Amino acid sequence: MTIARPVRALIGLCALLWCFFLYVLFKPSPEFQGPGDRYQNFERDPTLDPTFEPDGKLVHYDEGNYAPDAKKSDRIEATLLALVRNSEVDDMVQSMQDLERVWNNKFNYPWTFFNDVPFTEEFKEKTSAATNAKCIYEVIPDEHWTKPSWIDDATFQSSAKVLEGKGVQYASKMSYHQMCRWNSGLFYKHPALKDTRYYWRVEPNVHFFCDIDYDVFRYMHDNNKTYGFTINLYDDPKTLPTLWPETVKFLADHPEHLNENNAMKWVTDDEHRPQNNHDAQGYSTCHFWSNFEVADMEFWRSKAYGDYFEHLDKAGGFFYERWGDAPVHSIALGLFEDASKIHWFRDIGYQHIPFFNCPNSPKCKGCVTGRLTDGEAWLHRDDCRPVWFKHVGMG
């Protein structure tokens, strides 16, 4: 049977419309695109490009002045810092080997390890063998780690059950709450850090992909930067429903701490906020992913941050909810610091599962330029860097 030409044309048109419908239905929406789809030029910050002498030697630094035993060292008062358990030694060594390979073998900044119990000899032997730099092993004082006296055990247990019912991880794990509180407002008070100004936080089982040939700490110091990040994400609003209301209360009592050039719009952005973020009661939940942070501890030691942490600590949310150090640090930086002093290290290739910061640079090996995650497509919605770039810039 022969199909009439008009009918064939109609069938062809229907097929084309069906294909177009499927394309529209299944194409990645902007919410699901990774940063590589939006930002093709993840290149080195031009201000950080190295310069060379005619003989090929870097002008940036004198290798002799960065030797581990240099009598006249160019290192500033800074350390690589890790909160780590004895059982995580192999993962910690892996992270150290990565960072030593791409950066610290040139600069030999010391490593400072913290634990709530003494480090084992195995931990000390394996970690000290992974670097030529000095290693320092410290125990956290009980008063910095123990649950504070104003936290009620019964309320903690009942709150944990509510959070677990909402799918919040680690809600009943006391050590996780202690860790978040310590990372938020106590680590920089440890006596071992009293003469140290800058730190680079390094966690077990993270990866670094790009050769870094400048002194990151000196860059922070010389350019008057307070905080450096690589990844910027949305948080789970179910973990912090009263964090922003408590912050609003604090601002009402201490308006003097609000910086004139703040990043309030990033902290409260609601245009790009995921649908369930109404649980955060006005906070965008955007935060710097603090498993990587390079920071000046003078900010944490300031009156503004000290007053803020004390207010939050007494409110109890580190235990009755699951306030993390990442949103606490981020809100404080967004409100109390000049936004121009916060720096995106676009040129530092980094991964903490499941997220990446992978620059577009020949200095990087082992990651895909612009990829945010190897995980499920929906994880791309967690990327809050576009909101930071929109309101603050690329720093």
Side-chain angles (χ1 to χ4, degrees):
M1 180 178 68
T2 304
I3 301 175
R5 181 177 297 173
V7 176
R8 290 200 303 270
L10 181 61
I11 292 172
L13 178 61
C14 289
L16 285 173
L17 289 172
W18 177 249
C19 292
F20 178 74
F21 170 76
L22 291 176
Y23 169 75
V24 171
L25 182 63
F26 292 108
K27 75 172 183 175
S29 71
E31 288 187 17
F32 284 80
Q33 291 177 336
D37 299 315
R38 292 173 288 193
Y39 308 108
Q40 294 296 331
N41 295 316
F42 264 30
E43 297 175 354
R44 285 179 60 84
D45 186 328
T47 64
L48 305 181
D49 284 339
T51 54
F52 296 89
E53 299 284 5
D55 62 0
K57 185 176 180 181
L58 276 171
V59 172
H60 268 58
Y61 67 96
D62 185 325
E63 294 180 17
N65 289 347
Y66 280 101
D69 56 353
K71 293 181 179 178
K72 185 181 178 182
S73 174
D74 284 339
R75 284 184 292 273
I76 60 177
E77 293 299 327
T79 192
L80 299 164
L81 187 151
L83 173 63
V84 56
R85 297 191 179 281
N86 286 308
S87 59
E88 297 173 305
V89 61
D90 291 333
D91 285 341
M92 190 70 240
V93 167
Q94 178 268 304
S95 299
M96 293 178 69
Q97 289 172 338
D98 258 27
L99 190 52
E100 288 287 332
R101 183 185 71 254
V102 302
W103 183 70
N104 201 42
N105 71 91
K106 308 177 187 80
F107 300 99
N108 294 293
Y109 274 95
W111 289 84
T112 305
F113 301 98
F114 290 101
N115 197 346
D116 62 314
V117 299
F119 284 105
T120 63
E121 288 305 312
E122 178 193 16
F123 186 96
K124 293 178 181 179
E125 289 173 5
K126 286 186 174 181
T127 51
S128 62
T131 178
N132 291 323
K134 182 180 180 181
C135 289
I136 303 160
Y137 304 93
E138 297 291 342
V139 177
I140 299 169
D142 287 342
E143 62 269 25
H144 286 182
W145 191 258
T146 304
K147 171 178 60 67
S149 59
W150 56 87
I151 299 300
D152 178 71
D153 286 333
T155 305
F156 170 75
Q157 295 297 337
S158 61
S159 299
K161 287 181 180 179
V162 172
L163 292 174
E164 286 178 335
K166 295 179 178 180
V168 175
Q169 285 186 312
Y170 314 122
S172 62
K173 192 173 184 180
M174 176 60 74
S175 62
Y176 192 87
H177 294 266
Q178 292 168 308
M179 174 191 71
C180 290
R181 177 176 180 260
W182 185 80
N183 276 326
S184 294
L186 295 167
F187 77 93
Y188 52 88
K189 297 179 180 179
H190 195 286
L193 297 176
K194 66 181 180 64
D195 296 322
T196 303
R197 180 169 174 182
Y198 297 91
Y199 69 96
W200 181 335
R201 179 169 160 182
V202 185
E203 293 199 351
N205 196 29
V206 299
H207 298 274
F208 297 91
F209 303 103
C210 309
D211 289 333
I212 309 165
D213 46 30
Y214 60 94
D215 183 339
V216 170
F217 293 124
R218 186 161 290 281
Y219 171 80
M220 295 284 290
H221 179 271
D222 292 351
N223 291 276
N224 196 25
K225 299 294 184 181
T226 296
Y227 191 87
F229 71 96
T230 53
I231 296 171
N232 186 330
L233 300 171
Y234 287 103
D235 207 347
D236 181 353
K238 297 189 297 295
T239 66
L240 40 69
T242 66
L243 177 57
W244 185 247
E246 287 296 337
T247 300
V248 171
K249 290 179 187 176
F250 175 79
L251 288 174
D253 291 337
H254 296 279
E256 72 277 8
H257 291 326
L258 189 64
N259 193 287
E260 290 184 0
N261 188 35
N262 61 65
M264 175 74 81
K265 291 182 178 179
W266 170 71
V267 173
T268 59
D269 181 282
D270 60 3
E271 181 181 352
H272 305 88
R273 183 187 302 169
Q275 290 182 353
N276 66 339
N277 261 23
H278 59 80
D279 292 339
Q281 302 193 64
Y283 171 35
S284 68
T285 77
C286 285
H287 65 284
F288 307 118
W289 216 26
S290 59
N291 46 69
F292 174 104
E293 58 183 9
V294 182
D296 182 349
M297 285 187 281
E298 292 305 298
F299 178 78
W300 311 132
R301 293 164 177 156
S302 69
K303 180 168 176 51
Y305 189 77
D307 289 346
Y308 181 57
F309 175 74
E310 183 178 357
H311 175 94
L312 296 183
D313 203 23
K314 291 296 172 62
F318 289 110
F319 294 91
Y320 300 148
E321 295 178 9
R322 205 203 70 187
W323 296 351
D325 54 277
V328 170
H329 280 185
S330 301
I331 290 174
L333 288 158
L335 299 180
F336 312 139
E337 184 54 284
D338 186 319
S340 68
K341 295 185 178 182
I342 300 172
H343 179 69
W344 175 42
F345 279 107
R346 72 182 72 186
D347 59 326
I348 295 183
Y350 174 74
Q351 182 199 25
H352 183 296
I353 296 171
F355 296 109
F356 291 84
N357 183 70
C358 190
N360 180 11
S361 170
K363 292 181 174 291
C364 303
K365 298 177 182 178
C367 66
V368 178
T369 298
R371 175 179 291 174
L372 176 67
T373 178
D374 282 332
E376 299 293 332
W378 62 267
L379 287 170
H380 289 290
R381 292 180 298 183
D382 288 345
D383 187 11
C384 198
R385 281 177 294 190
V387 182
W388 177 261
F389 300 152
K390 172 187 173 182
H391 293 302
V392 181
M394 292 194 176

